[in-house]
Amino acid sequence: MLGAPPAWLHLNWTKALFILWVGTLLLWIALGADMIFRSARQDRRAVQLARGLHLTRPAYFPAGHPWRHPESGHPGVEARHSPRLPPYRPPTQLLPEVLPPWEPLP
Amino acid sequence: MTGGAHRKARIPTLGWAPMPVWAARDLGRHPWRTLATALTLFALALLLGGTQLVHQAIRDTTAHLLAGTPAIVVRRAAPTGWVSLPIHAALEAAAGVPGVLSPHARLWGHARVSGQTVTVMAIPEPPDDTAGAGLFPDAAHLRPGAVLVGGGVAPRLSGDTLIFDEQPQNAYTVLRRLPAKTAMAVHDTVLMHPEDARALLGIPPGSASDLAIEVFHVEEIDALSRHLAKAFPWPVQISTRTQAAGRLAAGQGRTAALATLAYAPALLALLVLGLAGAVGVERGRAQAGLLRALGWTGGDFLRLALWRWAWLSLPSVALGLAAAYTLTFSPGIRWMGPTLFGWTTPPPPLHLSSAGSALVLVQVAALVALPHLAIVVATGLRHTTTDPQALMEEGP
């Protein structure tokens, strides 16, 4: 269906595959060394800093994202629009006399 | 040439036994099919490995940092939202609840720098800075007017000056940029003197943003939350580490479901590989019949199939996983920030766990390579029980 292979495919496949094999092996030796070396030296300072500042979340969500500081959300704002937050239960201390105690829907 | 004799023959090309050479040349006889198979395996390994590595890295990152976070955070609530809490009264109320350990007042908030939202935190003041002793060698030099910034804030600086959108008249001097190794905690954070933080966030002296509390036993967190809610003389909003872990698990469940969708094209690709292998076998009936007539046994066909698989599948899968690892953990990788986490500036790097990542890579390699091995072996042994003459007569 594709016709005759082009000239560049008429190569010594044994040598080509052997070179590919050796190159892949060397690449993975390098990546393995990188994995071992970097995993031992990375974010110890970050953990110490997080404890020293009493941080509650890692910083891979940006500041202002509801997941980064969920405790800063307004207690009266329904947050169910965010798929990353659980169903909202308002604190009863704010509305003790206006509404009866909050009960889950049947 | 009988099946036993040809095993001892040597081809001078690489000094190898003939079977691996035969398998490599057999792959070369159908170059387009070989390249298509290799690219399919590479893409499968890249797609599955990338999604699983990202998912594993997020889990490792969060678990790594969440372990040392405050067990409970108490914020004073009001119908208008949040109000600052008086430090002395809050510490007294918290200390009166049995089981509460080391309550710390936190002074922090959000601000904007050139349109980017950043987290502003005050350097803990004595005696609260015992946990941070030695962490801030510049703390003694952090006078009012000087700040420390994370790497995510650096692109928004004007030289060595930081200007908040809320206070355009004040220019803060950047004393130091926090090192890259702290990015996972303070990537887009500005650390400043408590006086500057109060002025910026509108928190009066003697008040704080919230209270961070530790507990003696992790199992006490939920029970203590109820007692803490009653201990304060004003309404409070309580967040716990277990809630954070629960939200994280829920979020990861959704991410894992999305990652699982990556398996749909993977299954389709494996089906295509199987069909391509079956087509190749049907077209190779005559060759199989000839080899059978020359004395090849089922073991010879099995060895040929295994070498074909080893030559093609292992490097393709290995290169795909190497690409996935590079796209996830290379320094300076940017694609995850805007795509997954909503960053508009370069995001912090993910935590690399060698054990977790290695396990994921081995699992994905097995998931991609072993089904292909089954396809290759099944199709390679397809004609070992058929009459050779029938194969040569029927085949193309």
Side-chain angles (χ1 to χ4, degrees):
Chain A
M1 183 173 66
L2 291 174
W8 58 271
L9 281 178
H10 292 289
L11 42 76
N12 188 330
W13 278 80
T14 310
K15 279 186 181 173
L17 288 172
F18 179 71
I19 291 170
L20 182 66
W21 247 94
V22 171
T24 306
L25 192 62
L26 291 175
L27 175 64
W28 264 108
I29 289 172
L31 291 180
D34 172 73
M35 198 186 300
I36 293 170
F37 181 76
R38 266 206 287 156
S39 65
R41 288 171 178 265
Q42 42 185 342
D43 54 5
R44 247 175 259 160
R45 282 284 292 178
V47 174
Q48 291 171 345
L49 206 57
R51 287 184 182 156
L53 293 172
H54 312 294
L55 299 177
T56 55
R57 292 282 194 284
Y60 63 76
F61 279 101
H65 194 282
W67 199 91
R68 178 77 176 274
H69 296 290
E71 66 270 20
S72 63
H74 191 294
V77 173
E78 183 82 55
R80 284 187 295 181
H81 65 278
S82 171
R84 296 188 179 275
L85 295 177
Y88 177 68
R89 180 182 295 223
T92 54
Q93 296 158 316
L94 289 179
L95 301 169
E97 297 173 357
V98 177
L99 292 176
W102 188 84
E103 292 175 356
L105 293 173
Chain B
M1 190 162 54
T2 63
H6 80 259
R7 289 192 199 97
K8 295 185 181 174
R10 296 284 170 184
I11 294 180
T13 308
L14 290 172
W16 287 3
M19 191 58 78
V21 179
W22 188 288
R25 290 177 179 174
D26 201 37
L27 289 173
R29 276 193 283 271
H30 307 283
W32 290 120
R33 191 189 309 160
T34 301
L35 282 178
T37 306
L39 285 174
T40 303
L41 291 170
F42 175 86
L44 270 177
L46 173 61
L47 181 63
L48 291 177
T51 51
Q52 296 302 319
L53 276 177
V54 168
H55 179 59
Q56 181 71 28
I58 294 173
R59 285 181 58 182
D60 291 337
T61 305
T62 311
H64 195 61
L65 281 176
L66 221 56
T69 57
I72 299 173
V73 171
V74 179
R75 287 174 72 87
R76 183 178 176 183
T80 54
W82 163 87
V83 291
S84 59
L85 48 76
I87 298 178
H88 185 68
L91 289 176
E92 267 194 12
V97 177
V100 165
L101 296 178
S102 58
H104 292 279
R106 300 197 307 170
L107 188 58
W108 71 279
H110 292 134
R112 294 183 72 82
V113 176
S114 299
Q116 176 194 351
T117 303
V118 298
T119 301
V120 173
M121 295 208 75
I123 296 283
E125 296 175 288
D128 286 343
D129 63 346
T130 52
L135 288 179
F136 308 108
D138 302 311
H141 304 285
L142 199 66
R143 303 280 184 245
V147 296
L148 303 173
V149 299
V153 185
R156 306 286 180 174
L157 299 179
S158 307
D160 283 336
T161 303
L162 176 71
I163 299 175
F164 291 103
D165 295 351
E166 294 86 351
Q167 290 181 337
Q169 69 281 7
N170 290 352
Y172 295 89
T173 304
V174 177
L175 194 63
R176 192 162 66 96
R177 297 182 188 187
L178 296 168
K181 290 186 178 178
T182 62
M184 190 41 61
V186 290
H187 184 64
D188 57 355
T189 301
V190 177
L191 302 179
M192 52 195 334
H193 192 275
E195 284 183 21
D196 292 335
R198 291 181 191 285
L200 178 65
L201 301 172
I203 298 175
S207 296
S209 302
D210 52 29
L211 208 63
I213 294 172
E214 290 296 339
V215 298
F216 194 59
H217 287 296
V218 173
E219 294 80 13
E220 297 175 340
I221 290 178
D222 290 330
L224 278 177
S225 300
R226 289 189 287 273
H227 291 294
L228 277 170
K230 298 172 187 173
F232 291 90
W234 49 74
V236 295
Q237 184 181 358
I238 295 177
S239 307
T240 66
R241 192 191 304 155
T242 50
Q243 285 176 351
R247 287 172 185 164
L248 169 67
Q252 284 180 344
R254 296 183 189 97
T255 311
L258 290 175
T260 306
L261 290 177
Y263 287 86
L267 292 174
L268 188 62
L270 281 173
L271 180 64
V272 170
L273 280 177
L275 288 174
V279 167
V281 164
E282 291 307 311
R283 290 182 178 172
R285 292 167 63 91
Q287 178 181 336
L290 180 61
L291 293 174
R292 290 280 313 281
L294 291 174
W296 278 45
T297 63
D300 295 322
F301 281 100
L302 178 62
R303 273 190 291 277
L304 177 65
L306 290 176
W307 272 108
R308 285 170 53 93
W309 174 79
W311 277 126
L312 185 60
S313 178
L314 295 184
S316 302
V317 172
L319 287 174
L321 291 176
Y325 176 86
T326 306
L327 285 174
T328 306
F329 295 115
S330 275
I333 208 72
R334 298 278 185 260
W335 66 272
M336 274 185 287
T339 310
L340 298 179
F341 307 126
W343 285 89
T344 55
T345 55
L350 291 176
H351 175 78
L352 170 58
S353 164
S354 57
S357 300
L359 184 63
V360 165
L361 291 171
V362 168
Q363 286 175 339
V364 173
L367 193 65
V368 176
L370 292 183
H372 185 241
L373 173 64
I375 292 170
V376 169
V377 170
T379 53
L381 298 178
R382 175 76 173 80
H383 300 302
T384 52
T385 56
T386 311
D387 180 42
Q389 186 173 357
L391 288 173
M392 285 188 288
E393 286 175 354
E394 293 172 9

